[in-house]
Amino acid sequence: MAEMSEAGVASECIFCKIAAREVPADIVHASDRVVAFRDVNPKAPTHILLISKEHVPSVADVTEDHAEMLAELIRSAHHLARAEGTDRTGWRLVTNVGPDAGQSVYHLHFHLLGGRGMAWPPG
């Protein structure tokens, strides 16, 4: 398990490093709790990752104390969907939990996807 700093940053977590601006990313939104940046391997014309600045491994680790942060993540996704123009045709907000679901970075994050038609079920 990664060592945590006093600020709740995991020393080896790439998303913690992006949130701390230690690793470059195409950041499109930032606040006290949330950072959003373009995925380096996009799966849709709009593919933005929204992360909490606090290191939480996944949505399965969320507690009642995270309610405001989760609400801000959702509000930020809606704001970015409007800014990207995907609110007119539709967008998808996805989070993965565990390896079978495709989680590869163990830091709470949501994928905002839009700009193309999407099939159901996904995957």
Side-chain angles (χ1 to χ4, degrees):
M1 185 155 192
E3 185 177 318
M4 300 291 280
S5 73
E6 286 181 33
V9 175
S11 61
E12 298 303 316
C13 175
I14 187 69
F15 286 176
C16 284
K17 290 178 180 182
I18 289 171
R21 309 285 173 111
E22 295 171 5
V23 170
D26 185 1
I27 295 174
V28 294
H29 174 79
S31 71
D32 290 342
R33 291 189 193 110
V34 172
V35 175
F37 52 94
R38 297 199 186 276
D39 195 300
V40 296
N41 187 20
K43 305 300 182 202
T46 295
H47 189 166
I48 297 171
L49 298 175
L50 295 103
I51 67 170
S52 65
K53 284 188 174 179
E54 177 184 350
H55 184 82
V56 178
S58 79
V59 76
D61 299 291
V62 168
T63 68
E64 290 180 21
D65 294 337
H66 298 113
E68 289 182 29
M69 177 265 294
L70 285 173
E72 186 171 339
L73 278 165
I74 303 299
R75 284 191 307 270
S76 298
H78 184 218
H79 164 78
L80 290 165
R82 281 193 316 261
E84 294 285 312
T86 62
D87 62 319
R88 293 186 300 273
T89 56
W91 49 283
R92 185 172 285 174
L93 192 62
V94 177
T95 190
N96 302 315
V97 179
D100 283 354
Q103 186 176 8
S104 59
V105 177
Y106 286 81
H107 182 116
L108 177 64
H109 63 284
F110 290 86
H111 299 257
L112 170 62
L113 301 156
R116 67 166 173 82
M118 295 182 201
W120 192 261

